[in-house]
């Protein structure tokens, strides 16, 4: 094991320890951190959930989930790793159980010599977030000699009002600096790369404004349908599930001014300014800026799939959107007049998350009438899969007649980097243990995102969509999303990796 920067020792309490997130994301991420030597031997994990498991059964299920997710055999590390895991079954509705948890944590505190440091990770349904935080305080679990941190999964509220209520609840127990609101997109290597690409390259920063950029497109396509998240998704829809958090976070990273220092406060403050500059949309204008869709039956990766309304437990007349495309305007000096287009949906043809920066044409194109193909310069950032960047340029077509041909410079992550590229949760868990909140969402960002999104969701919930379902599963989305760009003279550059425009 190579020892890198080790976070201080701590006990991590995972509420929802038998759930999907814990098994598929948290345990594999913790194991990888352990393998890489990022966790000292002085750490313990306490799982909380209702089902009755012995500590051996719990450790077995942790190992199994790591094995399945990472597709690896049991190795010696796994056994020593799992000995840091404990299980404390109880129903969080039972107040008295919290004081028993307190005794258990005190005992592990001493055994693993963690100096009283505690992280509480709420990997359970959102309705528990506020109440669990308050109960932790009441039972004295947050009254400790070390530091305490609270990690909260998405969604942070359902709208501004509920988010404010949740925030008020947890602020009774944790300060803003102790709250780690997860947006797992911020843990992605290429999303973290946006700032570096922008602010560490003389080539890009001078061009990063409305004089040289015609539009920016951010796409996050899924091939999956609603799966077993129906109860949540029916009430949420894609606008709340994807736009309020991930898409707006990417917009703010792409549009922010260079921070005066690379610290959490300065970066967050610049992102907040972008969200404040978003043009708010009065109801009568929403249809000009946003379109929604819902998938019909179709074929995804060659397999027949049902339409959203025919999914198990979905209302057959559901008005919930599974697709959103929108045009966001940022009314500030840098971005006046440059549309930021976003597009995200379920059951689309191909899974990909991609940013395309389209540059304006040069003032006088000498090659305009020459034979061949000439496209705009594009900077493409592939967030997933195949992390990397491509820069599309125009060059001379080989041969005597000349003309132009598009060429691409591929700045692909080297295979070695890709292999070492960390999963979001690995990066975010380590940041949390190290006490770095930069890649988590601040309250101001959450609030401003809801302020932007709430009028759209209100407008949509009052107006039943007449054309749902309006795109076939396995397609590239509804026609309205293409029309949205076409009326501005643009089109989506949803290019597969390596494909030329
Ligand atoms: P899940 O599979 O339904 O797991 C919920 C967990 O909570 C289970 O361990 C369950 O265990 C426990 N639980 C439920 N009621 C309880 C109670 N009254 N007392 C104690 N424990 C209780 O949910 P999930 O998919 O892991 O999601 C967890 C959170 O992460 C949610 O907020 C979700 O929105 C968020 N999230 C999940 C994903 C994902 O990929 N899964 C992605 C992004 C965000 P018992 O039944 O044994 O009590």
């Amino acid at each position: 094991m190579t020892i890198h920067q080790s976070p201080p020792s701590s006990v991590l309490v995972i509420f929802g320890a038998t759930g999907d997130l814990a098994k598929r994301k948290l345990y594999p991420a913790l194991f990888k951190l352990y393998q890489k030597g990022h966790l000292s031997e002085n750490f313990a994990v306490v799982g909380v959930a209702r089902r009755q498991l012995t500590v051996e059964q719990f450790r077995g299920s942790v190992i199994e989930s790591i094995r399945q997710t990472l597709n690896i055999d049991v190795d010696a590390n796994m056994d020593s790793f799992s000995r840091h895991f404990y299980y404390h079954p109880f129903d969080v509705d039972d107040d008295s159980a919290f004081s028993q948890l307190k005794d258990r944590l005190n005992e592990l505190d001493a055994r693993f010599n963690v100096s009283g440091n505690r992280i509480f990770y709420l990997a359970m349904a959102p309705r528990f977030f506020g109440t669990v935080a308050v109960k932790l305080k009441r039972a004295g679990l947050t009254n400790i000699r070390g530091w305490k941190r609270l990690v909260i999964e998405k969604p942070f509220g359902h709208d501004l009002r509920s988010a404010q209520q949740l925030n008020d609840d947890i602020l009774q127990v944790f300060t803003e600096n102790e709250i780690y609101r997860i947006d797992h997109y911020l843990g992605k290597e290429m999303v973290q790369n946006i700032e570096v690409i922008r602010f560490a390259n003389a080539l890009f920063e001078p061009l990063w404004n409305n004089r040289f950029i015609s539009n920016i497109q951010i796409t996050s396509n899924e091939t999956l349908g609603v799966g077993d998240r129906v109860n949540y998704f029916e009430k949420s829809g894609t606008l709340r599930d994807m736009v309020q958090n991930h898409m707006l976070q990417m917009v703010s990273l792409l549009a922010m001014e260079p921070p005066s220092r690379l610290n959490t406060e300065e970066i967050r403050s610049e992102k907040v300014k972008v969200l404040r500059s978003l043009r708010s949309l009065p109801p009568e204008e929403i249809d000009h800026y946003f379109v929604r869709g819902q998938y019909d039956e179709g074929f995804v990766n060659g397999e027949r799939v049902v339409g959203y309304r025919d999914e198990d437990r979905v209302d057959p007349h559901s008005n919930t959107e599974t697709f959103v495309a929108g045009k966001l305007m940022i009314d500030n000096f840098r971005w006046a007049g440059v549309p930021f287009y976003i597009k995200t949906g379920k059951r689309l043809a191909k899974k990909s998350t991609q940013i395309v920066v389209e540059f304006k044409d040069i003032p006088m194109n000498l090659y305009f009438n020459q034979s061949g193909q000439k496209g705009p310069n594009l900077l493409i950032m592939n967030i997933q899969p195949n992390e990397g960047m491509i820069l599309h340029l125009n060059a001379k077509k080989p041969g005597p007649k000349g003309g132009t041909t598009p060429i691409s410079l591929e700045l692909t992550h080297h295979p070695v980097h890709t292999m070492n590229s960390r999963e979001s949760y690995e990066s975010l868990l380590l940041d949390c243990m190290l006490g770095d909140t930069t890649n988590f969402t601040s309250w101001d960002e959450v609030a401003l995102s809801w302020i932007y999104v709430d009028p759209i969701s209100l407008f949509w919930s009052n107006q039943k969509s007449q054309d749902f379902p309006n795109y076939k599963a396995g397609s590239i989305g509804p026609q309205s999303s293409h029309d949205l760009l076409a009326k501005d003279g643009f089109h989506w550059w949803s290019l597969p990796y390596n494909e030329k425009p």
Side-chain angles (χ1 to χ4, degrees):
M1 247 188 273
T2 2
I3 303 293
H4 303 278
Q5 187 184 13
S6 282
S9 9
S10 59
V11 172
L12 168 64
V13 187
I14 300 181
F15 288 89
T18 56
D20 178 66
L21 183 84
K23 287 183 174 167
R24 277 193 315 111
K25 299 291 180 188
L26 304 186
Y27 303 146
L30 284 167
F31 180 64
K32 284 183 111 184
L33 288 173
Y34 184 73
Q35 266 188 323
K36 291 177 185 173
H38 286 307
L39 300 182
S40 72
E41 284 300 323
N42 298 1
F43 83 96
V45 177
V46 179
V48 174
R50 286 167 306 183
R51 72 200 72 164
Q52 296 296 323
L53 300 175
T54 63
V55 72
E56 285 74 26
Q57 286 170 325
F58 178 59
R59 287 175 181 175
S61 84
V62 168
I63 291 182
E64 188 51 27
S65 54
I66 294 167
R67 235 177 40 74
Q68 280 186 9
T69 312
L70 301 179
N71 199 13
I72 49 174
D73 286 331
V74 178
D75 69 19
N77 271 342
M78 262 186 214
D79 199 38
S80 58
F81 172 74
S82 74
R83 272 187 258 121
H84 291 262
F85 281 69
Y86 295 83
Y87 188 64
H88 198 79
F90 72 92
D91 188 325
V92 295
D93 288 329
D94 173 9
D95 293 8
S96 64
F98 280 82
S99 35
Q100 289 153 21
L101 177 64
K102 180 182 167 187
D103 297 340
R104 168 60 69 92
L105 295 189
N106 288 341
E107 174 202 322
L108 292 175
D109 223 326
R111 188 181 312 168
F112 285 90
N113 193 17
V114 301
S115 319
N117 299 331
R118 280 178 196 171
I119 299 174
F120 300 98
Y121 197 123
L122 304 187
M124 54 193 319
R127 68 177 186 284
F128 293 116
F129 293 167
T131 53
V132 170
V134 171
K135 285 178 188 185
L136 288 173
K137 181 178 179 182
R138 269 198 222 129
L141 280 109
T142 53
N143 186 13
I144 42 178
R145 64 196 164 100
W147 46 251
K148 62 181 190 304
R149 290 172 193 153
L150 179 74
V151 187
I152 292 215
E153 269 298 332
K154 81 166 195 188
F156 198 92
H158 181 75
D159 52 17
L160 179 63
R161 211 161 65 94
S162 55
Q164 179 76 65
Q165 179 61 58
L166 170 58
N167 207 48
D168 291 347
D169 287 347
I170 57 180
L171 279 178
Q172 292 176 39
V173 189
F174 296 89
T175 63
E176 174 65 23
N177 288 341
E178 293 170 335
I179 302 169
Y180 292 69
R181 299 178 193 84
I182 294 253
D183 182 323
H184 73 274
Y185 271 52
L186 297 182
K188 289 182 190 290
E189 211 54 62
M190 272 306 285
V191 172
Q192 295 184 358
N193 217 340
I194 295 173
E195 270 169 74
V196 184
I197 290 161
R198 288 192 52 196
F199 303 135
N201 289 299
L203 191 64
F204 294 126
E205 186 45 33
L207 306 182
W208 213 260
N209 55 56
N210 55 6
R211 275 175 295 148
F212 298 99
I213 289 176
S214 71
N215 71 91
I216 293 185
Q217 305 178 8
I218 306 167
T219 322
S220 183
N221 293 341
E222 284 180 51
T223 49
L224 293 176
V226 66
D228 51 13
R229 294 168 73 217
V230 171
N231 291 346
Y232 156 73
F233 193 81
E234 265 283 85
K235 291 194 213 97
S236 147
T238 296
L239 187 70
R240 291 188 177 94
D241 187 42
M242 292 293 296
V243 177
Q244 181 271 335
N245 36 52
H246 313 314
M247 303 306 274
L248 287 182
Q249 280 295 324
M250 289 196 281
V251 168
S252 57
L253 286 169
L254 285 160
M256 69 192 250
E257 292 298 317
S260 60
R261 289 196 172 66
L262 274 184
N263 62 31
T264 309
E265 291 70 32
E266 296 301 330
I267 294 172
R268 282 181 162 184
S269 140
E270 294 304 338
K271 286 167 70 191
V272 161
K273 283 187 210 159
V274 173
L275 296 170
R276 270 204 205 107
S277 309
L278 283 174
R279 184 181 300 171
S280 52
L281 302 176
E284 64 279 10
E285 286 191 23
I286 287 171
D287 280 342
H288 300 298
Y289 286 84
F290 273 83
V291 300
R292 55 185 158 159
Q294 190 189 71
Y295 63 83
D296 200 354
E297 62 179 353
F299 288 87
V300 177
N301 296 329
E303 267 189 39
R304 181 164 202 89
V305 296
V306 297
Y308 180 71
R309 288 178 178 180
D310 292 323
E311 298 270 16
D312 202 18
R313 291 176 288 134
V314 169
D315 173 1
H317 305 287
S318 175
N319 196 38
T320 301
E321 78 285 351
T322 61
F323 176 99
V324 173
K327 166 172 142 178
L328 290 79
M329 299 304 292
I330 300 170
D331 291 327
N332 64 17
F333 245 67
R334 187 184 282 261
W335 295 114
V338 179
F340 282 65
Y341 297 109
I342 57 167
K343 175 162 69 92
T344 176
K346 293 189 177 299
R347 284 282 189 235
L348 292 167
K350 205 168 79 60
K351 179 177 170 66
S352 81
T353 303
Q354 189 178 61
I355 294 163
V356 180
V357 179
E358 180 174 341
F359 291 89
K360 287 185 175 170
D361 212 345
I362 42 183
M364 190 179 76
N365 191 344
L366 296 172
Y367 289 92
F368 186 69
N369 287 324
Q370 291 268 337
S371 64
Q373 234 190 321
K374 200 194 75 54
N377 293 148
L378 303 175
L379 172 66
I380 300 175
M381 298 182 212
N382 282 313
I383 311 289
Q384 66 181 19
N386 304 329
E387 294 173 350
M389 285 198 299
I390 312 176
L391 189 59
H392 283 277
L393 306 169
N394 295 297
K396 179 184 169 296
K397 204 156 80 181
K401 286 204 180 130
T404 55
T405 187
I407 56 161
S408 55
L409 290 180
E410 293 191 21
L411 312 154
T412 320
H413 264 192
H414 188 273
V416 171
H417 292 157
T418 313
M419 263 163 49
N420 288 332
S421 170
R422 296 176 301 172
E423 251 281 324
S424 292
Y425 278 90
E426 201 186 320
S427 152
L428 295 174
L429 276 166
L430 184 60
D431 282 355
C432 174
M433 290 173 184
L434 290 166
D436 183 353
T437 51
T438 313
N439 292 316
F440 296 82
T441 326
S442 67
W443 165 246
D444 288 345
E445 291 167 78
V446 173
L448 286 162
S449 304
W450 281 124
I451 288 170
Y452 183 73
V453 157
D454 274 356
I456 306 169
S457 54
L458 181 68
F459 180 72
W460 282 352
S461 63
N462 289 338
Q463 268 207 338
K464 211 168 157 53
S465 178
Q466 298 306 319
D467 65 346
F468 277 5
N470 59 356
Y471 69 98
K472 283 224 166 300
S475 71
I476 52 173
Q479 181 58 37
S480 51
S481 103
H482 302 281
D483 299 343
L484 183 75
L485 271 69
K487 63 186 183 206
D488 294 338
F490 299 123
H491 63 84
W492 292 107
W493 294 102
S494 305
L495 302 173
Y497 198 70
N498 281 343
E499 197 175 293
K500 293 181 173 55

